[in-house]
Amino acid sequence: YYQTLIPEFQYEYIPYTDQSSNPIFDSYVKPLTFSNLFSWNQFSGSDRLQNPSQVDMGFATGMYRASDGQPVLRGGIGMAYYYAARRVCLTTGCHPQAAGVSPLVAHVVYNLASRWDISSHVSWDINHKLIQSADIGAGYQFSKEGLVHLGYLSVKPSTSLPVGPFDLTQQTRLLDTAI
């Protein structure tokens, strides 16, 4: 086996622009996870653009088989420091993220076999010393384009995420064309 350790650091700044007159079609606030910690926009879709002034920092690591380079164990941990409050909202009367530190986010993925994995994510609120969200799941990749994932998500009641507590996902390629 061999192991990697990758420090990640990113500074983001986008000046505020008033977007309240723009319609909202399909955007929502993405939950803070390690996977989207280094994303430049906290909103999904293109209806809103956040005005971050922040530093994102973290570490990613992985353990790989020396024989074929396939991942066995991968993980990461990180957080953001907000220099200024975010002002862009999806609804009137919302309370945007204040200046300060984000929750500490972490994830781990263990590959049981070439097609099976177990994954988990957690978001720990440092200021209130509680878990904001956590999930655990298992996945099976049945072809190059096909994946089935079953998971459970636990969310602090005041957190609004666009998902339910159980997740069953199946992804397949519907159209295979050559260009």
Side-chain angles (χ1 to χ4, degrees):
Y1 296 99
Y2 65 90
Q3 184 177 4
T4 61
L5 181 62
I6 303 166
E8 299 186 52
F9 181 86
Q10 174 177 288
Y11 174 71
E12 301 172 48
Y13 175 75
I14 298 175
Y16 172 77
T17 56
D18 183 11
Q19 302 167 52
S20 60
S21 61
N22 298 350
I24 299 172
F25 293 104
D26 61 354
S27 288
Y28 62 87
V29 177
K30 294 185 287 189
L32 182 62
T33 64
F34 186 81
S35 301
N36 63 30
L37 176 64
F38 296 93
S39 172
W40 56 272
N41 193 7
Q42 85 173 70
F43 300 116
S44 69
S46 57
D47 304 333
R48 291 290 182 273
L49 179 62
Q50 189 52 268
N51 65 303
S53 177
Q54 68 189 55
V55 170
D56 306 321
M57 49 205 142
F59 287 94
T61 186
M63 184 181 300
Y64 302 87
R65 284 194 303 254
S67 60
D68 59 5
Q70 291 298 309
V72 175
L73 183 66
R74 293 170 290 147
I77 189 167
M79 64 187 302
Y81 179 78
Y82 306 113
Y83 288 106
R86 296 174 168 192
R87 297 172 50 195
V88 178
C89 289
L90 291 178
T91 60
T92 56
C94 75
H95 304 285
Q97 174 71 48
V101 296
S102 77
L104 184 67
V105 292
H107 81 112
V108 64
V109 179
Y110 176 64
N111 291 35
L112 296 166
S114 63
R115 295 178 179 254
W116 288 93
D117 68 52
I118 296 174
S119 62
S120 182
H121 298 81
V122 67
S123 175
W124 172 259
D125 186 330
I126 295 170
N127 298 319
H128 299 102
K129 303 205 178 354
L130 58 88
I131 294 176
Q132 279 193 328
S133 65
D135 73 60
I136 188 163
Y140 175 71
Q141 185 170 359
F142 56 87
S143 69
K144 250 184 152 173
E145 295 85 20
L147 170 72
V148 175
H149 180 85
L150 177 65
Y152 177 77
L153 171 65
S154 175
V155 180
K156 183 179 84 164
S158 66
T159 305
S160 60
L161 297 178
V163 294
F166 292 97
D167 169 39
L168 176 59
T169 309
Q170 183 212 359
Q171 298 175 350
T172 58
R173 179 180 282 182
L174 297 176
L175 183 61
D176 193 4
T177 59
I179 297 178

